[in-house]
Amino acid sequence: MISSCRLFFPEDPVKIIRGQGQYLYDEQGREYLDCINNVAHGAPLVVGHCHPTVVRAAHEQNLVLNTNSRYLHDNIVDYAQRLSETLPEKLSVFYFLNSGSEANDLALRLARQYTGHQDVVVLDHAYHGHLSSLIDISPYKFRNLDGQKEWVHVAPLPDTYRGPYREDHPDPAEAYASEAKRVISRAQEKGRKIAAFFAESLPSVSGQIIPPAGYFSRVAEHIRRAGGLFVADEIQVGFGRVGKHFWAFQLEGRRLCP
């Protein structure tokens, strides 16, 4: 029998009833340091759970208006302007969505619409969302479900700790990028056309992997030569979570933006 809902901690289930700052509390009042929830860790300064400024702002907005973005509103424009100041100048068009899964689904549709191609290259062990379109490009998910679609191509995870090319390799970035290039070439030999390379800027579900410097820039070159787009999934690692930069892809410098 397959369970319909899997608990994160099956041997000793945790029932959390409230949060404050960096801590969570169960029904017995026990305090846990929260090192797993991604949503509460956003913003340039980590605000944690139930920050009074965030709670107050949400309350004040709910007293005025709570609707979707089909109507014009100054807040949408102001927010887009503030976000644009954290990004390279070329990244200046914004779509506001309800979730990370919706964002990645839209990115996939945009890549296919722009390129006219269907196929996607992803990293091994990747996870990009719960929608059917994203489970199809998430090896972490599809290997336990319906398997790999013919239009999905999996490149090795650029893991310099456990992977085939490690920190002692003379150029692990080039070695892993060459592996991705081979995946692209094999797909093209079968007549497939690549729409996009999808990757988290710092693969999180895969184990908090820090790719070797220059890897993504080289892969971006290969994918663009194949007529595809480079898509940086920042849902888990963006919005000020990486310390030095607001967005994790900026760790590669300006080379990722064409």
Side-chain angles (χ1 to χ4, degrees), residues 198-236:
F198 257 79
E200 286 187 284
S201 303
L202 292 172
S204 55
V205 169
S206 313
Q208 308 302 326
I209 302 302
I210 301 176
Y215 166 75
F216 281 134
S217 299
R218 298 178 197 189
V219 172
E221 293 175 2
H222 298 322
I223 205 72
R224 288 166 185 156
R225 288 197 197 100
L229 301 179
F230 183 96
V231 179
D233 178 351
E234 297 269 335
I235 292 161
Q236 300 275 12

Side-chain angles (χ1 to χ4, degrees), residues 230-253:
F230 183 96
V231 179
D233 178 351
E234 297 269 335
I235 292 161
Q236 300 275 12
V237 294
F239 283 93
R241 296 184 181 102
V242 296
K244 292 182 179 180
H245 299 281
F246 198 82
W247 305 102
F249 78 85
Q250 292 169 327
L251 295 170
E252 282 275 316

Side-chain angles (χ1 to χ4, degrees), residues 10-177:
E11 300 300 324
D12 187 17
V14 180
K15 181 180 179 181
I16 298 298
I17 61 171
R18 70 182 182 93
Q20 185 66 50
Q22 68 271 40
Y23 298 109
L24 294 171
Y25 299 87
D26 67 13
E27 76 277 22
Q28 303 299 327
R30 284 180 295 191
E31 184 178 79
Y32 299 82
L33 178 63
D34 182 8
C35 296
I36 190 171
N37 283 293
N38 58 300
V39 175
H41 293 171
L45 297 176
V46 176
V47 297
H49 297 277
C50 302
H51 193 288
T53 301
V54 176
V55 172
R56 182 169 56 252
H59 173 66
E60 292 174 355
Q61 182 60 48
N62 281 332
L63 290 174
V64 178
L65 178 68
N66 184 2
T67 185
N68 63 26
S69 57
R70 67 163 53 95
Y71 310 111
L72 297 176
H73 198 284
D74 289 345
N75 285 353
I76 299 172
V77 179
D78 292 342
Y79 185 39
Q81 179 61 43
R82 291 177 64 186
L83 281 177
S84 71
E85 294 168 0
T86 71
L87 289 160
E89 186 175 353
K90 289 185 177 180
L91 297 180
S92 57
V93 177
F94 297 87
Y95 297 90
F96 295 113
L97 299 133
N98 183 61
S99 67
S101 290
E102 286 189 5
N104 277 343
D105 178 73
L106 177 59
L108 178 59
R109 287 190 288 138
L110 288 171
R112 286 172 166 167
Q113 177 68 27
Y114 179 79
T115 64
H117 300 166
Q118 170 78 6
D119 290 28
V120 178
V121 178
V122 295
L123 293 178
D124 203 0
H125 308 293
Y127 170 67
H128 294 291
H130 270 306
L131 300 181
S132 295
S133 61
L134 304 175
I135 289 175
D136 285 344
I137 64 171
S138 299
Y140 170 71
K141 287 289 185 180
F142 68 59
R143 286 195 174 123
N144 295 319
L145 296 171
D146 298 328
Q148 184 174 339
K149 299 292 193 294
E150 64 177 355
W151 51 269
V152 178
H153 313 280
V154 181
L157 184 69
D159 184 352
T160 58
Y161 183 68
R162 295 185 179 88
Y165 310 112
R166 304 190 178 186
E167 291 182 352
D168 59 355
H169 189 280
D171 193 348
E174 179 60 31
Y176 279 114

